[in-house]
Amino acid sequence: MNTPYEILGISENADVQTVKNAYRELAGKYSEENYAGGPFEDLAKEKMRLINKAYDDIVQSRADEFKSDSGFTERRYSEYSTWKNHGNAHSGLGDIRAKILSGRIDDAQTLLDGMPPNQRNAEWFFLKGSIHHRRGWLEEAYENYARACEMDPTNLEYRGAFDNLSISRNKGRKKSTDEGTTGATDCFHCYDGCDLCDICGTLLCLDCCCETMGCDLCDCC
Amino acid sequence: MFGYVKVFKPELKIVQYETYKAFYCSVCKELGHSYTPAAQLLLNYDIVFFLILKDALLAEKPCFVKKYCSFNPLKKCHCVQESQLVKTAANLLIISAYHKLRDDIKDERGLKRLLQFIIYPYFYLMWKRAKKREPEFEKIISQAMKTQAIVEQGEDLSIDASAHPSADALGLIFCSGEEGENKDILYRLGYMVGRWVYIMDAADDIEKDLKVKRFNPLKSLYLEDKSEMKSNFNNKALEILRATAQEARLALNLLDIKRNKPILENILNEGFNFSQACILRIERGCKHEYSL
């Protein structure tokens, strides 16, 4: 992947609207909400940086077209900050955060589990949830995030991670995933490959074949 | 794998559908070629997902040829030309089918069990051949079957913990042979697809499992719901499945995919939704297969 157009997945002579649409779609895909708390936050951030740069390059190289396009008020998607940036502000659990971020999940879990139950605050539950999220244990992650939010409802970090999981649980995020297909799903429900006409047609053909060979399949025709 | 992972045909373009079918047919051909024609009956859609995904990561484009279909000699079908990847997929299919049969023999009784005993030697012979060709997959799967059996004996098990061995195995299979960044993402994708399939299978079998008192991770969830339609259970299971599917989609988004992305997205979006709906939302007992 080299040229900005390849990064956005469009051809070089795409028009302004196509460029914008492609950019918008990709930016939606890699947006912060999708990846909050999961194992690929950094990677998504990197991808976001790439497509932002690609989009900027295209806008710059075709500045005239983009300006003349009416209503050009493109909201640029921000390169978001991951929770490691505000992690330092928190108390004693900074170590464990660092361990989780560097991928040492088992170490982090041992440390977390070693803490006495009366010291377990909202952050503890958030980190526990994050460990489970990274491991793929989504049910436990969900419960721990929920607990963290309950204990500290004002914290945006916990809320973001919780919302991320609960939105995908409740209806899936992409519009095309649910509403788009339920209609088709319902009508496909009664889809059947073989009906009466098919059967009759097949019998007729079989009969013709048989007759050319000298015998008869059904004697009525 | 159990055939839940497949495309949702109405949302595919013809060209995408033909490509999908070509991959499907090529595994079928390969099974007939390097095993026995009977092995072709084992073919399922899950393996096609694996094949298309792995193919999409290769720089080299697959080459399509037209061949006669062995089940319908009048029809010519597109096939992917023989490649190492198709062979790997066929071997993987044999290995997983063998382990599934072994697992089933443990659970079934009566006539079905007798039948399984009869076909067992054939599976065993094919498996021995496949094992030699893909020792790594064999190791992963047999290890997973062992851990799964141990895990399922535990009391009061969470859904996460019981799904872990199967999901982990698929993660390892997906990421085998890859390196760097893609490896982690593929592991995550495989893990989530494996988890999704495991929970789907559990939801599908719940009533049968309860009757014969077999282990099922969704059992407590099912027994909690006292209503007749089991709507609470259905919603809860759907939530778990959706969350898992969403994580799989997120992993797929990050992958550097060279071709056939719409097909893979179709499987993870519409295909998954359709399978979920068939098993949970719509009345139970509805047939969820539709012919390709």
Side-chain angles (χ1 to χ4, degrees):
Chain A
M1 290 221 175
N2 303 319
T3 71
Y5 291 95
E6 276 170 7
I7 291 174
L8 293 187
I10 46 181
S11 82
E12 300 229 350
N13 35 26
D15 60 24
V16 173
Q17 201 51 48
T18 319
V19 175
K20 282 185 184 175
N21 288 346
Y23 171 68
R24 229 175 264 138
E25 192 187 316
L26 282 176
K29 248 182 197 171
Y30 299 129
S31 83
E32 180 175 16
E33 302 130 43
N34 286 338
Y35 289 92
F40 299 125
E41 270 186 303
D42 287 348
L43 204 57
K45 196 173 143 191
E46 177 62 24
K47 290 257 184 194
M48 190 66 136
R49 201 184 58 75
L50 269 180
I51 57 168
N52 272 338
K53 188 167 176 310
Y55 183 69
D56 284 350
D57 286 352
I58 294 175
V59 170
Q60 247 172 30
S61 65
R62 294 164 64 173
D64 304 344
E65 285 175 65
F66 272 83
K67 260 182 206 139
S68 62
D69 191 56
S70 60
F72 176 53
T73 49
E74 189 58 66
R75 183 168 74 91
R76 205 167 164 292
Y77 290 81
S78 61
E79 286 151 30
Y80 47 83
S81 61
T82 50
W83 46 275
K84 81 180 88 163
N85 299 343
H86 32 95
N88 300 336
H90 293 271
S91 57
L93 297 171
D95 276 8
I96 300 179
R97 265 174 195 268
K99 282 213 166 53
I100 297 176
L101 283 170
S102 59
R104 290 159 65 191
I105 302 289
D106 292 332
D107 294 359
Q109 171 134 36
T110 320
L111 283 178
L112 269 187
D113 290 342
M115 284 178 66
N118 55 3
Q119 279 179 29
R120 295 180 178 177
N121 55 8
E123 195 187 4
W124 189 92
F125 281 102
F126 169 71
L127 291 181
K128 185 97 182 160
S130 183
I131 287 178
H132 282 307
H133 194 171
R134 271 153 204 267
R135 187 172 281 157
W137 291 34
L138 302 177
E139 289 310 291
E140 310 243 349
Y142 180 73
E143 275 159 31
N144 278 301
Y145 283 153
R147 187 81 188 271
C149 282
E150 204 177 278
M151 289 168 87
D152 187 355
T154 55
N155 191 308
L156 292 178
E157 183 187 8
Y158 309 160
R159 176 61 57 184
F162 175 72
D163 284 351
N164 177 21
L165 271 189
S166 68
I167 289 173
S168 59
R169 284 169 79 90
N170 288 327
K171 58 177 194 298
R173 197 180 293 272
K174 277 181 71 176
K175 57 176 186 340
S176 65
T177 53
D178 243 20
E179 294 88 341
T181 52
T182 38
T185 312
D186 288 345
C187 73
F188 228 69
H189 181 197
C190 48
Y191 176 89
D192 201 347
C194 183
D195 59 14
L196 212 60
C197 288
D198 287 343
I199 296 172
C200 288
T202 315
L203 275 175
L204 208 67
C205 287
L206 262 178
D207 188 48
C208 286
C209 284
C210 281
E211 273 165 12
T212 48
M213 301 286 189
C215 46
D216 200 6
L217 183 71
C218 37
D219 42 11
C220 56
C221 51
Chain B
M1 302 208 222
F2 311 85
Y4 301 118
V5 182
K6 60 187 172 202
V7 286
F8 183 62
K9 200 170 140 194
E11 296 275 338
L12 276 184
K13 283 184 184 167
I14 305 266
V15 57
Q16 293 160 356
Y17 174 61
E18 289 289 336
T19 315
Y20 183 75
K21 233 172 74 175
F23 278 103
Y24 183 83
C25 292
S26 59
V27 185
C28 182
K29 285 265 172 213
E30 178 60 32
L31 283 171
H33 188 241
S34 57
Y35 294 95
T36 61
Q40 289 172 317
L41 300 173
L42 296 172
L43 184 58
N44 61 26
Y45 296 120
D46 303 311
I47 204 75
V48 187
F49 175 71
F50 171 79
L51 183 58
I52 294 185
L53 177 71
K54 282 292 202 177
D55 176 75
L57 299 171
L58 297 177
E60 204 180 320
K61 277 189 183 169
C63 197
F64 292 97
V65 284
K66 269 198 156 183
K67 283 184 184 167
Y68 282 107
C69 171
S70 35
F71 288 94
N72 186 352
L74 295 178
K75 209 172 77 183
K76 265 193 161 182
C77 55
H78 289 282
C79 279
V80 182
Q81 211 162 36
E82 262 183 48
S83 68
Q84 189 48 47
L85 204 56
V86 177
K87 289 198 166 89
T88 310
N91 296 335
L92 177 61
L93 183 70
I94 297 290
I95 296 176
S96 62
Y98 169 77
H99 283 285
K100 186 160 189 308
L101 179 74
R102 271 186 60 151
D103 198 44
D104 285 348
I105 284 184
K106 259 189 289 174
D107 294 339
E108 291 294 345
R109 42 209 89 171
L111 195 65
K112 227 173 166 184
R113 186 164 186 183
L114 191 72
L115 220 84
Q116 284 168 344
F117 265 119
I118 294 171
I119 54 174
Y120 183 81
Y122 300 102
F123 276 65
Y124 181 76
L125 290 177
M126 289 195 292
W127 169 73
K128 263 183 91 175
R129 217 184 296 170
K131 186 175 133 178
K132 226 179 272 163
R133 293 175 185 158
E134 305 291 342
E136 195 191 345
F137 288 163
E138 161 57 25
K139 219 168 121 194
I140 294 172
I141 295 180
S142 58
Q143 189 59 44
M145 299 301 279
K146 265 184 225 147
T147 4
Q148 189 74 52
I150 295 169
V151 162
E152 290 186 357
Q153 259 143 34
E155 297 262 310
D156 203 19
L157 204 57
S158 76
I159 294 166
D160 291 330
S162 47
H164 185 77
S166 304
D168 183 55
L170 204 62
L172 291 174
I173 288 172
F174 273 38
C175 73
S176 87
E178 302 288 334
E179 267 170 25
E181 204 176 64
N182 265 358
K183 186 165 183 158
D184 293 341
I185 304 173
L186 275 173
Y187 175 80
R188 179 85 171 177
L189 177 58
Y191 187 96
M192 287 303 160
V193 172
R195 186 181 143 98
W196 185 85
V197 169
Y198 181 84
I199 297 171
M200 281 288 279
D201 190 46
D204 205 7
D205 289 345
I206 182 97
E207 275 143 12
K208 211 172 90 199
D209 284 350
L210 281 182
K211 221 181 271 166
V212 298
K213 299 207 169 60
R214 205 184 298 159
F215 174 83
N216 191 306
L218 301 176
K219 188 173 150 192
S220 58
L221 212 58
Y222 189 81
L223 294 178
E224 257 171 39
D225 187 6
K226 296 276 186 283
S227 64
E228 194 162 319
M229 292 295 289
K230 296 286 174 194
S231 57
N232 265 342
F233 166 76
N234 281 357
N235 285 338
K236 195 83 210 300
L238 206 54
E239 275 180 12
I240 301 171
L241 288 169
R242 277 189 193 130
T244 313
Q246 174 64 15
E247 290 290 321
R249 282 171 211 142
L250 289 178
L252 183 72
N253 282 346
L254 290 175
L255 267 184
D256 181 12
I257 285 179
K258 311 260 183 340
R259 66 195 88 88
N260 293 334
K261 194 160 192 183
I263 303 179
L264 294 169
E265 281 175 347
N266 176 290
I267 295 176
L268 287 191
N269 291 314
E270 289 85 7
F272 272 24
N273 281 338
F274 181 72
S275 295
Q276 282 168 19
C278 284
I279 285 193
L280 294 168
R281 204 181 301 153
I282 304 170
E283 67 272 30
R284 301 187 147 260
C286 129
K287 200 171 150 220
H288 77 278
E289 307 268 338
Y290 60 90
S291 62
L292 253 179

